[in-house]
RNA sequence: GACUCGCUAGCUCAGUAGGUAGAGCACAUGCCUUUUAAGCAUGGGGUCCUGGGUUCGAAUCCCAGGCGGGUCACCA
């Protein structure tokens, strides 16, 4: 990057960097800086009478500075929080030489720099627990200016809120917005709670392929890639269901995987092209058993994250306390519309759908119609966690037929805050039925359904060897994280949500301009005229460019002697 | 993909019938004290997203584009 593109403040920081080096201070020292406490620990445990926390060391980033002559206050931020550091000239400079305070600390350090501090904890006159610095060491010089977010009495000033900047520069978001750091800590705690919960029950955490020759386990469009050596098309997995079931065939009684899945579909505040699910399969169980498990597990997550089963989500308080409400899909529809559709034929369903505001198209079969009616009339009204059970068979090609109700399968979803948070079923283990269901999917694909499932011959072979009756579930980690952290969008619970690439506008180096016979002192001026790359120069009108750069020379008092118009033309002609 | 809103200093944001571009914080210089979104004084800092058009003149009006946000459609 050319220095011409740096802001004034960035130039000043680079200058400070040079001055530090001239003073013999390494702005990026290699040696370990030994820390023996942190901000939160001090604030929680310091006791003025006990005089504890003397001669402590901690490290962190400077978040604000208040300099008053020979004394100064610095807010230091470490992973745990912030603590004030009192820096007094004569406390950190023991001899006559006050350079460390007057020059290094006051002039050459900035907000954003990472420092290590050793000293004693005390309480200031205004009652704030602080560290009196006896030693101060620069650990990393920051060359970019952080957004300055200030806070007083819970009121936040100049908050760093622009979503584009926050997502593209998540590191800045994390530095400046402690509540954002907290969201991701909660997310990890959520995952760890699940992992512990399932591991303690003896289920095995496993890993299965992300690159799959045949994708399956869900209705979705995949990402496609290619393996050179095999000269073979591979897909990024859209689900890991079929591999985990193979492991159940292989004899494990319970397997689960936290899996990054990829779906080549739209993006919005509930969808990212890559997302995380946990899938769990347990042999000899059915979907009723699985409902009890998920209830218990999610209740425990709420307790671990919030200390209560009640969680504020938007304007609602959601209570995850067991037991959750249970409805069959037909019951839910009847509950919210007063209409019993359980005995209707396709024509009646179509008519009912129209009356309820669904616009059915001709391709929709009975199952799809029921699903649409449910989505339109029920789903968004289900705020408290609710199980919806017994789905139409058409929508569920991997699910066992209902033990007693024709046309339905043994499947449930848990709906919470109007959105599905998990999807589970008694797994289909009848290989003959499974083959027939795949063949129905192939028919759908022929009719143009891009989300229809592929026929996975090896998976069929596996269950032909015999798979025990099995209960399976998938839980969207991102969606559940949104609920558990009261996040309004999936981007808020992903460190690096997918975004269009940032415009880079890569500038060409000085040497490329020099090669055209342009004197080095004119290169920055040409850049300033908006020409960063040779291709831009190529398209520039010589008259205008000549005019522009002479103007800039004059305006900035650069004092250069102007090139002639012919000079400018000759640069452009060489391209 | 459709509709809609936004893009101005490092950050948060004002602004103008179209006429030299503003504030606060941050930055620089100075004063000063165990201070509290510190204070006072002075100063520097901007291709007002990009490109085209209208105009004597565009950051402002018009058109196109880029990138984001929101809503809707598909989907977890």
């Amino acid at each position: 990057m050319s220095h011409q593109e740096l802001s004034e403040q960035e130039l000043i920081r680079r200058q400070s960097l040079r001055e530090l080096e001239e003073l013999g201070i390494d702005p990026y020292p290699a040696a370990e800086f030994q820390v023996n406490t942190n901000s939160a620990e001090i604030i929680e445990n310091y006791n003025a009478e006990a005089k504890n926390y003397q001669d402590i060391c901690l490290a962190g980033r400077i978040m604000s500075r208040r300099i008053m002559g020979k004394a100064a206050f610095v807010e230091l931020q470490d992973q745990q929080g912030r603590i004030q550091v009192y820096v007094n000239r004569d406390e950190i400079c023991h001899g006559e030489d006050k350079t460390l305070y007057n020059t290094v600390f006051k002039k050459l350090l900035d907000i954003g720099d990472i420092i290590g501090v050793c000293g004693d904890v005390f309480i200031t006159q205004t009652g704030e627990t602080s560290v009196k610095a006896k030693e101060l060491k620069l650990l990393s010089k920051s060359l970019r200016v952080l957004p300055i977010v200030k806070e007083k009495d819970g009121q936040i000033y100049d908050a760093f809120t622009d979503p584009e900047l926050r997502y593209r520069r998540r590191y800045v978001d994390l530095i400046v917005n402690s509540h954002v750091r907290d969201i991701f800590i909660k997310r990890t705690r959520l995952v760890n709670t699940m992992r512990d919960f399932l591991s303690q029950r003896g289920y095995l955490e496993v890993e299965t392929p992300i690159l799959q020759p045949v994708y399956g386990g869900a209705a979705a469009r995949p990402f496609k890639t290619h393996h050179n050596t095999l000269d073979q098309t591979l897909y990024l997995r859209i689900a890991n269901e079929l591999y985990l079931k193979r492991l159940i065939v292989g004899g494990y009684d319970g397997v689960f995987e936290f899996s990054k899945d990829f779906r080549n579909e739209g993006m919005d505040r509930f969808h990212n092209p890559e997302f995380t699910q946990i899938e769990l399969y347990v042999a000899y169980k059915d979907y009723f058993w699985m409902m009890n498990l998920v209830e218990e597990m999610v209740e425990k997550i709420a307790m671990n994250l919030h200390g209560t089963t009640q969680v504020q989500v938007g304007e609602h308080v959601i209570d995850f306390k067991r037991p959750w409400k249970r409805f069959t899909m037909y019951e839910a529809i009847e509950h919210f519309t007063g209409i019993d559709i359980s005995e209707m034929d396709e024509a009646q369903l179509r008519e009912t759908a129209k009356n309820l505001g669904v616009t059915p198209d001709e391709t929709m079969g009975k199952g799809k119609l029921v699903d649409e009616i449910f989505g339109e009339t029920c789903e968004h009204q289900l705020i408290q966690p609710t199980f919806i059970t017994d789905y139409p068979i058409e929508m569920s090609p991997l699910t066992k037929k209902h033990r007693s109700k024709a046309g339905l399968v043994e499947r449930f979803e848990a709906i919470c805050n109007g959105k599905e948070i998990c999807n589970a079923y008694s797994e289909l283990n009848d290989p003959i039925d499974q083959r027939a269901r795949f063949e129905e999917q192939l028919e759908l694909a022929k009719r143009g359904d891009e989300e229809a499932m592929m026929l996975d011959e090896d998976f069929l072979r596996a269950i032909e060897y015999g798979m025990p009756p099995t209960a399976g579930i998938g839980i969207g980690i991102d969606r559940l994280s949104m609920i558990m952290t009261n996040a309004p969008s999936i981007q808020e619970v992903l460190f690096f949500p997918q975004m269009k690439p940032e415009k880079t506008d890569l500038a060409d180096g000085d040497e490329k301009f020099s090669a055209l016979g342009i004197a080095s002192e004119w290169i920055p001026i040409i850049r300033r005229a908006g020409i960063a790359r040779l291709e831009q120069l190529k398209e520039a009108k010589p008259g205008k460019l000549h005019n522009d750069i002479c103007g800039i020379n004059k305006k900035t008092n650069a004092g250069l002697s102007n090139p002639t118009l012919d000079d400018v033309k000759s640069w452009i002609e060489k391209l």
Side-chain angles (χ1 to χ4, degrees):
Chain A
M1 183 198 273
S2 158
H3 278 209
Q4 295 302 317
E5 295 159 41
L6 296 176
S7 72
E8 184 195 28
Q9 289 188 52
E10 288 168 328
L11 288 171
I12 288 168
R13 288 186 178 216
R14 279 170 153 77
Q15 180 59 33
S16 298
L17 190 73
R18 282 194 289 275
E19 288 177 32
L20 284 164
E21 282 165 342
E22 281 162 20
L23 286 168
I25 295 171
D26 181 354
Y28 303 104
E32 174 186 11
F33 183 82
Q34 285 211 3
V35 163
N36 56 24
T37 186
N38 65 64
S39 61
E41 196 183 297
I42 292 170
I43 286 164
E44 191 171 333
N45 299 324
Y46 175 69
N47 182 316
E49 283 166 24
K51 272 267 182 189
N52 52 358
Y53 290 100
Q54 306 298 294
D55 283 316
I56 52 90
C57 290
L58 76 169
R61 193 183 291 274
I62 299 175
M63 297 307 287
S64 76
R65 300 198 304 162
R66 298 182 285 276
I67 296 175
M68 301 146 296
K70 66 188 176 80
F73 290 90
V74 162
E75 246 187 307
L76 200 68
Q77 174 169 286
D78 59 19
Q79 184 185 298
Q80 286 74 18
R82 290 187 183 190
I83 191 163
Q84 177 169 272
V85 176
Y86 172 61
V87 182
N88 180 292
R89 187 185 66 200
D90 299 321
E91 295 278 349
I92 62 166
C93 304
H94 302 289
E96 284 302 303
D97 181 6
K98 305 299 182 191
T99 310
L100 177 61
Y101 183 80
N102 287 336
T103 306
V104 176
F105 174 73
K106 273 172 74 174
K107 293 203 171 29
L108 302 180
L109 291 193
D110 289 288
I111 291 175
D113 291 350
I114 295 170
I115 58 170
V117 169
C118 295
D120 305 328
V121 178
F122 74 111
I123 293 181
T124 62
Q125 288 180 355
T126 45
E128 180 153 348
T129 304
S130 307
V131 178
K132 183 185 290 177
K134 293 193 289 196
E135 279 177 52
L136 188 148
K137 184 173 168 64
L138 174 61
L139 301 178
S140 181
K141 178 76 194 155
S142 166
L143 298 180
R144 295 218 180 222
V145 185
L146 284 173
I148 309 294
V149 179
K150 297 202 171 179
E151 193 221 313
K152 162 121 177 160
D153 301 332
Q155 179 84 17
I156 302 208
Y157 299 83
D158 296 335
F160 180 62
T161 55
D162 177 15
E164 172 160 16
L165 273 174
R166 286 185 48 229
Y167 301 154
R168 287 197 195 281
R169 303 189 193 177
R170 181 67 91 180
Y171 35 88
V172 175
D173 193 26
L174 292 166
I175 291 169
V176 149
N177 290 325
S178 62
H179 59 278
V180 174
R181 259 197 325 271
D182 190 50
I183 284 174
F184 290 99
I185 291 171
K186 284 206 171 79
R187 180 181 169 129
T188 296
R189 203 180 296 154
L190 179 156
V191 169
N192 287 344
T193 301
M194 284 189 171
R195 178 172 282 129
D196 292 346
F197 182 91
L198 297 173
S199 298
Q200 275 169 16
R201 277 163 179 68
Y203 307 142
L204 189 67
E205 181 168 6
V206 298
E207 292 179 273
T208 63
I210 292 172
L211 289 173
Q212 303 181 348
V214 178
Y215 62 94
R221 275 138 63 196
F223 287 90
K224 198 173 175 179
T225 185
H226 184 260
H227 187 278
N228 290 342
T229 305
L230 294 174
D231 188 21
Q232 179 193 3
T233 296
L234 292 170
Y235 301 92
L236 273 61
R237 71 177 166 203
I238 56 172
N240 50 358
E241 171 155 359
L242 302 184
Y243 281 95
L244 291 179
K245 286 184 187 168
R246 284 170 170 95
L247 298 180
I248 296 290
V249 169
Y252 296 109
D253 285 344
V255 290
F256 67 95
E257 178 175 15
F258 288 96
S259 81
K260 200 57 123 28
D261 292 342
F262 305 83
R263 297 191 186 173
N264 206 341
E265 294 172 341
M267 292 163 56
D268 59 30
R269 73 191 176 94
F270 291 104
H271 301 268
N272 194 65
E274 54 183 288
F275 66 103
T276 307
Q277 285 199 85
I278 180 174
E279 290 193 37
L280 164 72
Y281 294 83
V282 184
Y284 311 116
K285 308 296 185 189
D286 64 8
Y287 75 138
F288 290 114
W289 178 89
M290 189 62 90
M291 274 189 255
N292 295 334
L293 177 128
V294 71
E295 246 179 10
E296 187 182 343
M297 183 164 71
V298 174
E299 185 190 66
K300 187 159 190 181
I301 289 167
M303 286 300 292
N304 278 5
L305 265 55
H306 298 102
T308 164
T309 58
Q310 300 190 347
V311 179
Q312 182 82 39
V313 182
E315 56 193 7
H316 304 291
V317 174
I318 293 178
D319 194 342
F320 290 96
K321 189 162 182 53
R322 288 179 287 164
W324 299 352
K325 251 186 297 181
R326 297 184 186 192
F327 278 129
T328 67
M329 194 172 239
Y330 290 148
E331 284 167 356
I333 290 169
E334 186 168 1
H335 181 264
F336 286 107
T337 66
I339 302 170
D340 177 5
I341 63 167
S342 61
E343 303 297 324
M344 289 184 181
D345 62 21
E346 188 172 324
Q348 290 172 305
L349 278 174
R350 195 171 295 275
E351 189 57 31
T352 306
K354 273 185 206 154
N355 294 339
L356 292 170
V358 179
T359 45
D361 66 53
E362 290 310 306
T363 67
M364 289 182 184
K366 220 177 138 175
K368 183 75 180 163
L369 286 167
V370 173
D371 195 58
E372 289 286 324
I373 291 170
F374 175 77
E376 180 65 28
T377 61
C378 305
E379 195 164 17
H380 61 277
Q381 304 204 53
L382 295 167
I383 302 302
Q384 298 302 324
T386 306
F387 288 116
I388 302 296
T389 63
D390 299 348
Y391 283 63
I393 191 167
E394 292 89 334
M395 316 296 300
S396 314
L398 301 166
T399 311
K400 204 179 262 238
K401 281 179 182 149
H402 197 280
R403 60 193 76 180
S404 61
K405 297 174 191 164
L408 299 181
V409 290
E410 298 207 347
R411 169 177 172 184
F412 72 83
E413 292 188 0
I415 314 278
C416 178
N417 203 35
K419 281 273 167 192
E420 171 194 339
I421 56 169
C422 70
N423 183 10
Y425 25 92
S426 302
E427 301 296 336
L428 179 54
N429 65 342
D430 173 345
I432 308 295
D433 190 2
Q434 183 65 78
R435 183 175 292 277
R437 304 273 196 100
F438 272 136
E439 278 162 2
E440 285 164 21
Q441 290 290 309
L442 291 179
E443 283 303 312
L444 288 177
K446 276 188 202 153
R447 293 218 309 257
D449 184 345
E450 290 183 88
E451 294 182 346
M453 289 188 195
M454 295 165 86
L455 191 149
D456 188 333
E457 201 57 63
D458 178 68
F459 171 68
L460 283 170
R461 179 166 60 195
I463 62 172
E464 282 167 6
Y465 279 98
M467 182 172 88
T470 297
I473 188 167
I475 304 173
I477 298 294
D478 314 289
R479 293 280 178 85
L480 190 57
S481 297
M482 285 169 65
I483 289 173
M484 289 293 174
T485 62
N486 192 12
S489 75
I490 198 168
Q491 285 78 16
E492 294 292 339
V493 299
L494 298 170
F495 274 126
F496 303 103
Q498 197 58 241
M499 299 186 85
K500 283 202 188 178
E502 207 173 349
K503 247 198 312 187
T504 45
D505 255 355
L506 279 179
D508 282 326
D510 287 5
E511 67 289 346
K512 293 201 178 175
F513 287 96
S514 301
L516 302 172
I518 302 173
S520 60
E521 61 270 24
W522 280 97
I523 295 172
I525 292 179
I526 289 169
R527 289 213 178 92
R528 188 153 170 169
I531 309 276
R533 280 165 286 129
L534 296 190
E535 61 188 75
Q536 290 173 303
L537 183 60
K538 192 174 179 177
E539 284 164 22
K541 290 174 188 155
K544 176 166 162 51
L545 180 60
H546 181 247
N547 215 14
D548 283 352
I549 61 176
C550 294
I552 291 166
N553 180 31
K554 187 176 170 190
K555 191 176 159 191
T556 59
N557 295 318
L560 305 176
S561 54
N562 287 332
T564 65
L565 179 57
D566 285 338
D567 289 338
V568 175
K569 280 181 183 164
S570 79
W571 302 339
I572 296 174
E573 278 161 10
K574 285 183 191 158
L575 288 164

